[in-house]
Amino acid sequence: MSNDELIWRIAGGSGDGIDSTSQNFAKALMRSGLHVFTHRHYPSRIRGGHTYVEIRAAGHEVQSRGDGYNFLLALGDSFARNPQEDAYYGNEELKPLSENLDELREGGVIVYDEGLLTEDDVAELDLEARAEENDWYVYPVDLRGLAKEHGREVMRNTAGVGVTAALIDMDLAHIEDLMEDAMSGDVLEANLAILHEAHDMVEAEFDEVPELTVPTGEHDAAQALLSGSNAIAYGAIDAGCRFISGYPMTPWTDVFTILSQNFPDMGGVAEQVEDEIAAAALAVGASHAGAKAMSGSSGGGFALMSEPLGLAEMTETPIVLLESMRAGPSTGMPTKPEQGDLEFVLYTSQGDSARVVFAPGNVEEAYEQTRLAFEIAYDYQIPTILIYDQKLSGENTNVSVDFFDREPNPDLGSTLTEAELKEAAHDASGKFERFGYDDNEKGVSPRSIPGQAGGRYLATGNEHSPVGHISEDPDNRVFQMDRRLEKLEHIRDDLDEGETNQTYVGPDDAEYGIITWGSSQGAVFEAVSRLNDDDHSVRAVSVSDMMPFPETELTEFIEGVDEAMVVEMNATAQFRGLIQKELGRYGEKLTSLLKYNGNPFEPAEIVEGYEINVDGGEAEPSAQVRIEPAAGD
Amino acid sequence: MSAFNAIGDEREVDSNEYTAGVEPQPTWCPGCGDFSVLKALKQALPEVGRNPEEVLCVTGIGCSGKLNSYLDSYGFHTIHGRSLPVARAAKLANPGLEVIAAGGDGDGYGIGGNHFIHSARENHDMTYIVFNNEVFGLTKGQTSPTSPKGHKSKTQPSGSAKDPLRPLSLGLTAGASYVARTAAVNPNQAKEILIEAMEHDGFAHIDFLTQCPTWNKDARQYVPYVDVQESDDYDFDVTDRREAAEMMYETESALYEGTVLTGRYYVDEERPSYQEEKRTVGELPDEPIAERYFDEDSEWERSYDLLERHT
């Protein structure tokens, strides 16, 4: 077993505190100087069922969940209900142990809670034979009993963490600190006692201990453990967003919750409303009245937002919408990631409609692109959408605190003050020419806010004249249409002039290319560094600008390699289709590596996909991925 | 200095200020009841001391949706049934605005029914006018949620099998703190009710009977009407929910038998508006959100200060 990284999986039932325990342990590992990355796997139910969180921790930077894992802490599922042996959910009590064995690496460690599993149950698994075959270390511990002795059964998580810390030779101080922050009194006392007892038990009772010493170190700067949802919420706060409206839906709800909890202290407003049509319409109304506003949902809820989205385009009302994808179609798999809504988000709404779509690939990009989404929405009076997924929403990774040390940007963009309105064009009856001929070369006509003196106009979803009167005049129609569509070209120019949103790894002169987007980035980048370490010549780009598309950059990238593989989590190669549509060629140069089983890519799957494509290896990949050949192949 | 000088600007406002100098020609049919709503609104607004630039009139789609095309104030002509969510948010972002939402019976009680229920339930401080002509007008006469049972139209050629929706009862049940019905044929009452509704602190729902001379020739059914407050035949307490509900039931049953009752049905001055409730629990700032963006001295909180919980 490798000593340079720990991939610790804590498994149990939903409601057993798996999430909070893993969050704390990840923080403790981060505080001990390691880089961490978490991956959540959970079912769409509140209590019970098989759930796990994986924490990958290493001395080097980690960008993805890694391949498989090397340490299993299997708690009992205290919510398991198993009235009949062959009931729908099977033997749930055993699931935290039984469901996880296939992905445990050779030489891995298993700690399971004897307290909730009977010997007969475990015998079913043939654990001894499998352990021998794979050189696993197996430690049955009565975590439940230990916890009960000191307090309550639920504290068995702490016992599990104590055993883990002993087995990886980790300093308990970091865990103690976190416990002291989170609890007090008897509860704290009991937890501390359990932690130490479990820790000491390992040395006293287990003869054979694996050589699993994860390195520790020190970070150059203070670190924060954040999810993509945290980063998006914080990006919005720093962009001056002070209005959010929404309807709960997994996985978008995280951002909605974070902002709902913070806005009251910041002079902002959060509204939970009756449906997603209302949610997006509220964002439009708030923005119209002068707030920086946001709404969002996941695929099914976003479908309802298509009406207000079009309204925002036609009335040139700036809004930011979030779309956190989960597997579809329809309600699909609520708690599983997929990158299957790309085409939907790009083309939602009737008419020749234009919006800006960004797809951040990691936590830092999520923060930056949220700020950018607000800036562009308000400068250009156009809806901007952040498309991301369940994986980026929920995965936690450490980011330097300094990264967030930037000034807020509450600028309302192309909005006039009352003094400026006095100078602006008005029609004969004194109405402000809100949708007038542009004094601004970017196709943007500055707006007024209701309540401002001298700014009266009508915003309408119908085609309209410069003051907002409904108009079917052909010349006005062409003028207004061109002006709205023209914005995308200027936005493209602005984006090309600034720092690129696309992220690259690998040598500039590489022979082979990998193209990906969104949260598949981490696994792809890790695969690329492995391949290059193995003397292959690979370069990858993770694209964030979905619309307007970064034509120049992508053309250059594809021209520079012999062939390229597009990696994405969907079954119909949507992003590859977009590239070919936008660039009008390269059908013969691009292959696809697709995964859509509900689990995100692991780096090894991408390495394997590369090998099949390049070396003509096995015809079919061994993992649950699919290869889509180039046109003509 | 406020960024919104028009708000609270106390001066004599002439109702003509609400008519644009260069007026778009109303596209309503001759004899349409919608003209009366526009006229009553233009008369009522100066009486509540509001000038055109502090008024935001948000409408839905259909003939009624064009109200703000002919009312020279700030306006937002939204989409089918969506006037309320847009209007609600504008009021939350800037409570200083006089927010009026308007739509038709198809728009407001059909496609926008869910928003109506929840806006009333939450008691948002605004006025909601539903132009009720019992028919879809602009799409050429189809049966609407308030069309009488048996109403024949191109989409229900054998006569509607559905009972009409009862808008007053629905508004009351959902939680509106002011519910009234008036009619285009009674401009004086309409004006008075609009004034009351705008001055009311909470969700004021007005079912405004507007005849459609083109698609609903039975428009004459709205004449004569009886004012339930003025008639000696009716005696009930508008602040009593149960009595109001009974009156509404009677009215809504009688409407299709040729008797038209109008007036105030329910007035609850005690119930705080949603804005007030939200401010009480600390979820609505005292200062309008919109104001902050124009205030250069405003201190903008930043996420950096929240990071401690993640370290």
Side-chain angles (χ1 to χ4, degrees):
Chain A
M1 164 153 187
S2 133
N3 264 351
D4 70 345
E5 67 175 17
L6 168 73
I7 305 183
W8 183 75
R9 188 181 280 193
I10 176 171
S14 292
D16 275 335
I18 303 296
D19 213 34
S20 53
T21 305
S22 63
Q23 188 83 10
N24 259 340
F25 192 51
K27 253 190 204 178
L29 290 164
M30 176 182 82
R31 287 181 177 187
S32 76
L34 295 168
H35 294 270
V36 296
F37 190 99
T38 72
H39 163 68
R40 274 173 86 192
H41 175 104
Y42 58 103
S44 182
R45 54 189 280 197
I46 298 166
R47 292 278 185 241
H50 171 236
T51 175
Y52 69 75
V53 177
E54 214 170 77
I55 301 170
R56 184 176 179 205
H60 54 85
E61 206 183 316
V62 285
Q63 296 177 303
S64 76
R65 60 182 291 200
D67 303 301
Y69 70 107
N70 58 15
F71 195 123
L72 173 66
L73 173 62
L75 300 171
D77 180 344
S78 66
F79 294 98
R81 300 281 179 270
N82 190 18
Q84 298 157 279
E85 271 317 293
D86 299 318
Y88 180 61
Y89 288 111
N91 186 347
E92 300 208 324
E93 273 156 6
L94 203 56
K95 270 188 171 180
L97 186 57
S98 64
E99 291 279 305
N100 291 290
L101 295 176
D102 287 349
E103 288 155 42
L104 182 63
R105 291 185 194 167
E106 244 176 65
V109 180
I110 298 172
V111 174
Y112 71 86
D113 188 353
E114 256 185 331
L116 270 164
L117 299 175
T118 64
E119 266 175 49
D120 288 351
D121 283 338
V122 179
E124 251 179 59
L125 295 177
D126 212 6
L127 194 57
E128 232 165 277
R130 291 185 70 174
E132 198 162 319
E133 198 180 313
N134 292 295
D135 296 327
W136 290 338
Y137 296 83
V138 183
Y139 303 102
V141 189
D142 184 8
L143 300 171
R144 183 196 189 203
L146 177 59
K148 267 181 132 172
E149 250 176 59
H150 288 275
R152 289 188 299 134
E153 188 181 317
V154 71
M155 294 176 183
R156 66 190 181 283
N157 292 351
T158 304
V161 169
V163 172
T164 304
L167 288 168
I168 65 171
D169 201 14
M170 180 189 177
D171 187 353
L172 286 184
H174 299 295
I175 303 166
E176 289 167 351
D177 284 350
L178 283 161
M179 283 182 170
E180 279 158 16
D181 288 349
M183 44 188 117
S184 60
D186 292 349
V187 179
L188 176 65
E189 295 290 308
N191 270 291
L192 287 174
I194 293 167
L195 181 73
H196 284 279
E197 202 168 307
H199 183 269
D200 297 346
M201 183 203 307
V202 172
E203 210 169 302
E205 292 183 22
F206 301 131
D207 307 331
E208 194 195 15
V209 175
E211 290 203 11
L212 179 60
T213 312
V214 180
T216 53
E218 223 173 282
H219 292 287
D220 297 338
Q223 301 289 303
L225 186 69
L226 288 165
S227 69
S229 296
N230 283 131
I232 288 170
Y234 291 172
I237 288 169
D238 293 347
C241 173
R242 287 298 180 274
F243 189 96
I244 188 162
S245 43
Y247 185 87
M249 184 166 181
T250 305
W252 118 273
T253 316
D254 289 350
V255 173
F256 187 34
T257 308
I258 297 164
L259 289 179
S260 299
Q261 288 169 353
N262 284 302
F263 272 176
D265 295 332
M266 299 184 162
V269 171
E271 276 286 286
Q272 184 183 319
V273 296
E274 58 269 25
D275 58 34
E276 285 89 349
I277 310 178
L282 262 95
V284 170
S287 174
H288 180 74
K292 282 185 133 176
M294 178 190 235
S295 183
S297 192
S298 297
F302 189 80
L304 297 189
M305 294 184 166
S306 66
E307 281 184 28
L309 173 66
L311 181 66
E313 279 173 41
M314 194 51 148
T315 57
E316 302 183 58
T317 310
I319 51 164
V320 174
L321 295 178
L322 305 178
E323 216 272 51
S324 182
M325 296 176 282
R326 58 196 223 181
S330 192
T331 35
M333 292 197 282
T335 61
K336 299 288 174 278
E338 196 169 90
Q339 296 177 297
D341 296 349
L342 177 62
E343 290 182 335
F344 175 52
V345 166
L346 289 173
Y347 310 121
T348 308
S349 189
Q350 66 273 36
D352 295 311
S353 69
R355 77 288 312 262
V356 175
V357 182
F358 294 126
N362 61 43
V363 170
E364 292 184 1
E365 289 178 10
Y367 174 84
E368 281 178 336
Q369 287 170 28
T370 305
R371 289 185 63 135
L372 184 63
F374 274 96
E375 195 179 313
I376 287 182
Y378 282 76
D379 279 351
Y380 283 91
Q381 302 174 359
I382 191 170
T384 60
I385 303 170
L386 229 59
I387 183 173
Y388 60 112
D389 60 27
Q390 185 265 356
K391 175 177 181 302
L392 182 55
S393 294
E395 69 192 16
N396 280 269
T397 190
N398 60 300
V399 180
S400 164
V401 167
D402 297 342
F403 173 81
F404 297 92
D405 190 7
R406 325 173 187 212
E407 284 306 306
N409 177 19
D411 187 16
L412 268 190
S414 47
T415 306
L416 300 178
T417 61
E418 288 190 341
E420 289 165 333
L421 273 169
K422 275 190 190 150
E423 309 296 316
H426 289 71
D427 79 351
S429 63
K431 269 200 163 174
F432 166 54
E433 292 193 3
R434 154 80 179 91
F435 309 101
Y437 288 80
D438 34 330
D439 16 358
N440 180 323
E441 79 233 19
K442 290 181 173 177
V444 181
S445 180
R447 62 177 185 154
S448 61
I449 304 292
Q452 283 184 319
R456 280 182 347 272
Y457 76 97
L458 176 67
T460 169
N462 282 50
E463 190 55 273
H464 46 265
S465 72
V467 295
H469 288 319
I470 296 168
S471 167
E472 294 181 353
D473 175 72
D475 292 339
N476 176 68
R477 162 68 175 178
V478 172
F479 163 70
Q480 296 289 359
M481 198 69 202
D482 288 350
R483 199 173 55 75
R484 286 189 299 264
L485 291 177
E486 191 192 326
K487 292 177 188 177
L488 278 191
E489 290 166 35
H490 296 297
I491 293 168
R492 183 70 264 157
D493 290 346
D494 273 10
L495 291 172
D496 283 344
E497 274 172 27
E499 269 179 50
T500 176
N501 280 326
Q502 284 55 253
T503 315
Y504 299 85
V505 292
D508 288 351
D509 59 350
E511 289 161 21
Y512 192 87
I514 298 183
I515 305 172
T516 192
W517 68 283
S519 75
S520 298
Q521 183 193 91
V524 167
F525 284 3
E526 203 166 319
V528 168
S529 62
R530 281 192 213 172
L531 286 166
N532 286 328
D533 286 349
D534 267 356
D535 291 332
H536 292 280
S537 174
V538 187
R539 182 164 194 248
V541 58
S542 170
V543 183
S544 286
D545 298 353
M546 301 286 120
M547 185 183 275
F549 195 77
E551 276 177 49
T552 316
E553 282 189 64
L554 258 279
T555 303
E556 211 172 277
F557 182 88
I558 298 172
E559 292 283 330
V561 293
D562 296 339
E563 51 185 306
M565 178 168 80
V566 185
V567 180
E568 54 185 323
M569 279 191 283
N570 61 57
T572 54
Q574 297 185 19
F575 184 55
R576 175 177 159 191
L578 179 69
I579 299 170
Q580 289 175 208
K581 172 181 178 277
E582 289 287 341
L583 303 184
R585 54 197 164 140
Y586 300 128
E588 73 298 336
K589 219 170 169 176
L590 303 178
T591 54
S592 283
L593 184 69
L594 307 170
K595 187 172 183 184
Y596 48 94
N597 68 354
N599 292 316
F601 278 106
E602 295 179 18
E605 291 169 334
I606 294 156
V607 170
E608 187 189 43
Y610 166 88
E611 282 165 354
I612 293 170
N613 271 328
V614 171
D615 303 338
E618 296 170 64
E620 290 297 326
S622 56
Q624 284 197 16
V625 294
R626 207 182 81 208
I627 287 185
E628 194 68 32
D633 273 14
Chain B
M1 197 177 77
S2 164
F4 302 100
N5 280 327
I7 296 177
D9 175 17
E10 285 184 29
R11 60 180 174 84
E12 281 289 306
V13 183
D14 188 277
S15 96
N16 287 329
E17 286 186 44
Y18 286 93
T19 307
V22 183
E23 194 180 6
Q25 193 63 35
T27 54
W28 294 324
C29 305
C32 174
D34 294 4
F35 286 103
S36 299
V37 188
L38 177 63
K39 192 173 170 196
L41 197 54
K42 281 181 180 178
Q43 289 173 344
L45 280 162
E47 302 242 350
V48 293
R50 291 296 203 168
N51 73 67
E53 295 184 322
E54 57 183 333
V55 173
L56 177 63
C57 180
V58 186
T59 60
I61 293 297
C63 296
S64 59
K66 293 182 177 174
L67 175 72
N68 49 13
S69 294
Y70 317 128
L71 181 80
D72 193 6
S73 67
Y74 274 100
F76 204 136
H77 178 222
T78 65
I79 35 181
H80 310 79
R82 315 299 170 210
S83 63
L84 284 171
V86 172
R88 268 153 56 184
K91 185 74 179 179
L92 288 166
N94 194 342
L97 295 169
E98 180 67 51
V99 175
I100 299 158
D105 42 300
D107 178 271
Y109 300 145
I111 190 166
N114 197 23
H115 308 312
F116 172 49
I117 292 171
H118 290 277
S119 304
R121 171 192 150 221
E122 292 165 12
N123 200 29
H124 286 267
D125 182 20
M126 60 170 65
T127 300
Y128 183 41
I129 309 168
V130 183
F131 295 46
N132 182 3
N133 60 9
E134 301 173 3
V135 77
F136 281 92
L138 203 53
T139 51
K140 299 193 190 307
Q142 296 82 1
T143 309
S144 94
T146 52
S147 298
K149 194 170 184 177
H151 179 262
K152 286 188 181 173
S153 71
K154 285 177 190 164
T155 49
Q156 268 140 327
S158 311
S160 170
K162 304 174 188 180
D163 270 329
L165 185 127
R166 293 168 169 266
L168 303 177
S169 302
L170 183 58
L172 179 80
T173 308
S177 54
Y178 183 99
V179 184
R181 167 175 272 169
T182 187
V185 292
N186 185 10
N188 293 332
Q189 186 200 47
K191 179 184 143 190
E192 276 171 33
I193 284 184
L194 281 170
I195 292 171
E196 273 186 22
M198 287 190 278
E199 284 176 344
H200 177 76
D201 189 15
F203 191 78
H205 167 219
I206 302 169
D207 187 64
F208 207 124
L209 300 172
T210 55
Q211 68 276 15
C212 177
T214 303
W215 299 113
N216 203 355
K217 301 248 189 268
D218 294 340
R220 278 176 298 117
Q221 69 183 279
Y222 299 142
V223 188
Y225 69 92
V226 175
D227 185 323
V228 291
Q229 266 86 39
E230 310 233 316
S231 165
D232 293 336
D233 296 342
Y234 304 98
D235 180 25
F236 73 105
D237 178 2
V238 290
T239 65
D240 186 304
R241 225 182 156 78
R242 188 181 295 265
E243 288 188 27
E246 275 171 26
M247 266 310 295
M248 286 174 182
Y249 192 83
E250 194 173 323
T251 298
E252 284 167 336
S253 304
L255 180 64
Y256 299 99
E257 289 158 15
T259 313
V260 181
L261 306 182
T262 61
R264 300 145 195 82
Y265 282 84
Y266 184 62
V267 182
D268 180 356
E269 298 289 357
E270 303 299 312
R271 185 180 173 200
S273 69
Y274 180 61
Q275 278 72 11
E276 210 178 315
E277 300 269 25
K278 206 167 162 74
R279 208 168 273 128
T280 306
V281 298
E283 287 188 356
L284 189 70
D286 293 328
E287 183 192 52
I289 308 177
E291 194 81 66
R292 292 188 93 192
Y293 296 94
F294 294 94
D295 178 2
E296 281 175 15
D297 298 328
S298 184
E299 293 250 336
W300 288 86
E301 302 81 355
R302 56 183 203 150
S303 71
Y304 190 77
D305 302 324
L306 302 173
L307 287 178
E308 208 173 299
R309 63 184 81 154
H310 304 284
T311 57

